[in-house]
C-alpha cells in the first residue's frame, strides 16, 4: 500500500512504512528543536565521545601513515644478511660465523630473484674537521648501490662510484647531522676530513632522513667498503651485505635462494642451523601494521566508553519525555495507534537524537584534527571514512539500545490511564 503524503509543504507519493518513518523522524526533529537546550545537554556525552573517537583515530592514522611512509622510504624489498655464530643445543657458541666477499658475489650472480647486493661494514668512527671533533659517529662501508637499495640519495655533490669502490679511494659522503655538528655548511664538499686518523675527501652530502626509533639517520658517514677494509682489515671475513629483491612479492623467493647458496658455500649439513641471520625490512612494516591496528582498536574502544555515558543520558531524558507526553500517547492510542506505532515513534526519537549528537561530534572532530594538523611539527592528519561511518553507526546503535526501554514503556501505557494522567 502506498499513499500521497504531505511532508513540510511538499506533496510526495511514498510507501506507507517509509512515510510513517519519515513522519517519526520529522516529529523527532521538531521535539529536538522545541527543546534545544535540553537536547544539547542530553547528547553532550555522545558529542564528546564521537569527537574523541574521530580525533584519536585521525591522530593514530596520521602517525601510522608517517611511520609506514618512512619504512617504505627505507626500501621494503631490502634485506640485510649478516654472519651469526652457530649455537649448540644449550645455546653455547660452537664456531665463529664468517661471511666473505666471495659469498656476496655468489649470491649476486646465482640468485635470480635478487636485483643487486651491496657489501656493508657497520662500525662507529671518529671524525675531525678543522678544530671540530665527533666521536662514535655511525660509519657504513658499502658500494655504489647503497643509494638505490636504501633509497638514501645525496642532495649535494655526488655519491662515490664503481671506480672509487674498485680502487678503495679515500672519499666519503656525510649525513646532514654530521655536517651540523661539525659546524660547517655545504662548502665542505670537495674539502677533506679525517676519519679515525685517515684523510678522506668529502664528495657529497646525504639528504635528510630524520630520526626513527631513537636512531638518527642523518648522523652517518658512508665510504667505499674497500676503503673501510683498509682501515679495518679484521672485518674481511665478517662482512654483512644488503640485498635488494627484484620486487616486494619476490622477497620470499630471494630469501630462499640466498639461504640455499650460503648454506652450500658454508658447507652446512641439513641438521645444522644457519650461520647467518637475515633482517627483512618488510617484517618491520608487517609488525607495525599489527601494532597500528591494535593501538587504533584499543584507543577507540577506551574512548567509546563515554558513549555509554551519553546513552544513559538519552535514556533518562526519554523516560522524562514519556512521562511528559503521557496524554499525547493516550490520544494517539484512542484514535487507533498501535503499540508498535508508539514504540517506533519514541525509538526513532532516541535514534535521531543520538545521531544528531554523533553528527555534531564528527564535525568537531574534523575541526580539531584540522587545527592540530596546522602545527609545523605535526604529522599529516587523515580521517578515514570508516571511522566516520563507525562513529555514526555507534551513536545510532546507542540510541536504539538506550531508547528501547523508554519506547517500550510508552508502548505499554493503557490509553485510559494515559488520558487520565495529569
Amino acid at each position: 500500500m502506498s499513499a500521497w503524503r504531505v511532508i513540510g509543504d511538499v506533496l510526495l507519493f511514498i510507501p506507507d512504512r517509509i512515510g510513517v518513518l519519515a513522519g517519526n523522524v520529522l516529529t523527532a526533529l521538531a521535539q529536538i528543536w522545541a527543546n534545544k537546550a535540553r537536547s544539547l545537554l542530553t547528547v553532550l556525552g555522545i558529542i564528546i565521545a564521537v569527537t574523541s573517537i574521530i580525533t584519536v583515530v585521525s591522530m593514530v592514522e596520521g602517525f601510522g601513515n608517517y611511520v609506514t611512509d618512512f619504512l617504505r622510504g627505507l626500501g621494503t624489498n631490502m634485506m640485510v644478511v649478516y654472519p651469526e655464530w652457530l649455537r649448540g643445543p644449550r645455546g653455547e657458541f660452537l664456531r665463529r660465523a664468517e661471511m666473505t666477499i666471495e659469498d656476496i658475489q655468489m649470491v649476486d650472480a646465482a640468485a635470480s630473484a635478487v636485483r643487486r647486493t651491496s657489501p656493508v661494514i657497520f662500525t662507529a668512527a671518529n671524525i675531525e674537521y678543522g678544530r671540530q671533533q665527533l666521536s662514535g659517529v655511525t660509519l657504513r662501508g658499502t658500494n655504489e648501490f647503497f643509494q638505490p637499495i636504501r633509497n638514501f640519495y645525496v642532495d649535494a655533490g655526488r655519491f662515490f662510484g664503481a671506480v672509487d669502490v674498485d680502487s678503495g679511494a679515500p672519499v666519503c659522503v656525510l649525513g646532514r647531522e654530521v655536517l651540523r655538528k661539525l659546524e660547517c655548511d655545504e662548502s665542505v664538499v670537495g674539502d677533506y676530513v679525517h676519519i679515525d686518523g685517515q684523510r678522506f675527501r668529502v664528495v657529497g652530502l646525504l639528504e635528510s632522513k630524520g630520526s626513527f626509533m631513537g636512531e638518527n639517520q642523518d648522523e652517518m658517514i658512508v665510504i667505499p667498503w674497500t676503503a673501510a677494509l683498509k682501515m679495518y682489515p679484521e672485518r674481511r671475513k665478517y662482512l654483512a651485505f644488503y640485498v635488494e629483491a627484484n620486487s616486494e612479492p619476490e622477497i620470499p623467493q630471494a630469501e630462499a635462494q640466498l639461504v640455499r647458496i650460503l648454506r652450500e658455500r658454508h658447507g652446512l649439513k641439513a641438521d645444522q642451523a644457519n650461520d647467518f641471520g637475515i633482517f627483512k625490512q618488510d617484517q618491520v612494516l608487517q609488525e607495525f601494521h599489527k601494532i597500528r591496528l591494535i593501538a587504533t582498536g584499543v584507543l577507540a574502544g577506551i574512548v567509546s566508553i563515554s558513549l555509554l555515558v551519553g546513552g544513559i543520558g538519552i535514556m533518562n531524558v526519554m523516560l522524562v519525555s514519556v512521562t511528559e507526553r503521557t496524554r499525547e500517547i493516550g490520544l494517539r492510542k484512542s484514535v487507533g495507534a498501535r503499540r508498535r506505532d508508539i514504540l517506533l515513534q519514541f525509538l526513532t526519537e532516541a535514534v535521531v537524537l543520538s545521531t544528531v549528537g554523533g553528527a555534531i561530534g564528527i564535525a568537531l572532530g574534523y575541526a580539531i584534527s584540522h587545527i592540530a594538523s596546522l602545527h609545523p611539527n605535526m604529522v599529516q592528519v587523515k580521517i578515514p571514512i570508516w571511522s566516520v561511518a563507525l562513529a555514526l553507526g555507534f551513536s545510532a546503535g546507542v540510541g536504539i539500545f538506550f531508547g528501547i526501554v523508554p519506547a517500550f514503556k510508552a508502548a505499554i501505557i493503557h490509553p485510559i490511564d494515559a488520558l487520565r494522567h495529569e
Side-chain angles (χ1 to χ4, degrees), residues 227-249:
L229 282 185
K230 292 179 182 179
M231 300 171 65
Y232 317 105
E234 70 279 2
R235 302 292 184 93
R236 188 172 300 276
K237 292 184 178 180
Y238 310 104
L239 299 174
F241 63 102
Y242 295 122
V243 177
E244 183 185 19
N246 291 329
S247 62
E248 196 169 333

Side-chain angles (χ1 to χ4, degrees), residues 306-365:
S306 55
L307 281 171
L308 299 177
V309 178
I312 293 171
I314 289 176
M315 182 171 66
N316 289 335
V317 172
M318 290 301 298
L319 287 172
V320 172
S321 179
V322 169
T323 302
E324 291 176 346
R325 297 161 63 187
T326 302
R327 287 182 62 82
E328 175 191 332
I329 295 170
L331 286 172
R332 289 199 61 193
K333 284 191 171 185
S334 64
V335 294
R338 297 162 294 183
R339 283 188 175 184
R340 65 183 182 185
D341 296 326
I342 304 298
L343 179 71
L344 182 61
Q345 176 188 347
F346 281 87
L347 192 58
T348 302
E349 288 185 19
V351 172
V352 169
L353 192 62
S354 60
T355 304
V356 168
I360 296 173
I362 290 171
L364 288 176

Side-chain angles (χ1 to χ4, degrees), residues 154-403:
V154 296
D155 60 2
R158 67 175 179 86
F159 203 79
F160 49 79
V163 175
D164 298 316
V165 175
D166 293 340
S167 63
V171 294
C172 67
V173 178
L174 304 181
R176 291 287 172 172
E177 185 65 13
V178 176
L179 199 69
R180 186 187 68 81
K181 290 185 176 181
L182 289 176
E183 297 181 3
C184 57
D185 53 25
E186 294 185 0
S187 62
V188 73
V189 176
D191 208 345
Y192 291 87
V193 296
H194 286 82
I195 302 174
D196 280 351
Q198 302 293 318
R199 189 167 181 259
F200 279 77
R201 184 165 63 92
V202 180
V203 295
L205 303 174
L206 291 168
E207 62 185 353
S208 180
K209 283 283 189 176
S211 298
F212 179 70
M213 303 295 285
E215 181 182 357
N216 194 333
Q217 302 290 311
D218 298 327
E219 192 170 333
M220 182 188 299
I221 307 168
V222 186
I223 64 175
W225 70 271
T226 46
L229 282 185
K230 292 179 182 179
M231 300 171 65
Y232 317 105
E234 70 279 2
R235 302 292 184 93
R236 188 172 300 276
K237 292 184 178 180
Y238 310 104
L239 299 174
F241 63 102
Y242 295 122
V243 177
E244 183 185 19
N246 291 329
S247 62
E248 196 169 333
E250 290 188 69
I251 288 178
Q253 183 183 355
E255 181 184 8
Q257 290 176 353
L258 70 88
V259 167
R260 175 181 56 79
I261 293 169
L262 291 177
R263 286 185 64 86
E264 289 177 356
R265 280 195 55 81
H266 296 181
L268 297 176
K269 298 178 182 179
D271 59 343
Q272 289 181 302
N274 294 334
D275 61 350
F276 54 89
I278 301 174
F279 171 79
K280 294 184 290 184
Q281 191 71 36
D282 70 321
Q283 285 180 329
V284 179
L285 196 58
Q286 291 171 8
E287 290 301 318
F288 177 73
H289 278 313
K290 294 178 183 177
I291 296 172
R292 177 179 175 177
L293 288 174
I294 293 172
T296 302
V298 170
L299 290 173
I302 293 173
V303 173
S304 298
I305 294 175
S306 55
L307 281 171
L308 299 177
V309 178
I312 293 171
I314 289 176
M315 182 171 66
N316 289 335
V317 172
M318 290 301 298
L319 287 172
V320 172
S321 179
V322 169
T323 302
E324 291 176 346
R325 297 161 63 187
T326 302
R327 287 182 62 82
E328 175 191 332
I329 295 170
L331 286 172
R332 289 199 61 193
K333 284 191 171 185
S334 64
V335 294
R338 297 162 294 183
R339 283 188 175 184
R340 65 183 182 185
D341 296 326
I342 304 298
L343 179 71
L344 182 61
Q345 176 188 347
F346 281 87
L347 192 58
T348 302
E349 288 185 19
V351 172
V352 169
L353 192 62
S354 60
T355 304
V356 168
I360 296 173
I362 290 171
L364 288 176
Y366 266 95
I368 293 173
S369 300
H370 177 70
I371 293 171
S373 66
L374 297 178
H375 193 280
N377 295 326
M378 185 65 186
V379 297
Q380 184 178 1
V381 176
K382 181 180 179 182
I383 301 177
I385 297 299
W386 64 262
S387 68
V388 176
L390 191 65
L392 274 178
F394 266 113
S395 58
V398 166
I400 294 174
F401 183 78
F402 287 96

Side-chain angles (χ1 to χ4, degrees), residues 73-91:
L74 298 179
T76 54
N77 58 338
M78 181 197 75
M79 294 179 282
V80 182
V81 185
Y82 53 91
E84 189 173 51
W85 285 11
L86 281 172
R87 293 177 179 267
R90 293 183 298 275

